[in-house]
Amino acid sequence: MSLGLVVVEVCERNLLASTPLEELEDRYPEIAVQRTPCLFMCHLCRAVPYAMVNSKRVYAKTVNSCLHDIQVAAVKEIDDFMGTE
């Protein structure tokens, strides 16, 4: 179980829903992944893969790019909280 210092939220209808985002929890115990039925951003959800990382939108043109950007954003949140770089 993760600590949830960084929360990654993904809509179950988004392209990212079928990806193993929980692997982030395995790599980083500070990350908690939450899958929700809707994040109320339907226009964005239908257009591109996206997730919310501590309430900040992270999106990209492809699933792989978005997964990379999510990890970068989450690690940055952890580093900012811990005061490291």
Side-chain angles (χ1 to χ4, degrees), residues 1-2 6 14 17 23 26 33-34 60 65 67 70-71 75 77-78:
M1 174 148 255
S2 61
V6 177
N14 190 261
E23 288 178 2
D26 295 337
V33 174
Q34 293 182 347
S65 294
L67 290 171
I70 290 167
Q71 182 173 336
V75 169
E77 290 284 325
I78 293 166

Side-chain angles (χ1 to χ4, degrees), residues 20-73:
L21 287 168
E22 286 75 17
E23 288 178 2
L24 287 172
E25 292 177 330
D26 295 337
R27 292 176 84 190
Y28 304 97
E30 302 89 349
I31 295 176
V33 174
Q34 293 182 347
R35 294 174 184 272
T36 63
C38 186
L39 290 172
F40 303 102
M41 294 188 195
C42 298
H43 296 292
L44 182 63
C45 191
R46 283 181 244 176
V48 294
Y50 91 99
M52 301 295 287
V53 177
N54 279 1
S55 300
K56 298 173 188 160
R57 283 183 296 219
V58 176
Y59 59 93
K61 291 183 179 181
T62 67
V63 169
N64 286 337
S65 294
C66 193
L67 290 171
H68 175 265
D69 293 349
I70 290 167
Q71 182 173 336
V72 168

Side-chain angles (χ1 to χ4, degrees), residues 3-5 8 12-13 16 18 22 24 31 33 37 51 53 60 66-67 69 77 79 81-82:
L3 297 174
L5 174 64
V8 176
E12 292 173 350
R13 295 183 177 149
L16 286 177
S18 63
E22 286 75 17
L24 287 172
I31 295 176
V33 174
V53 177
C66 193
L67 290 171
D69 293 349
E77 290 284 325
D79 289 346
F81 182 79
M82 301 291 191

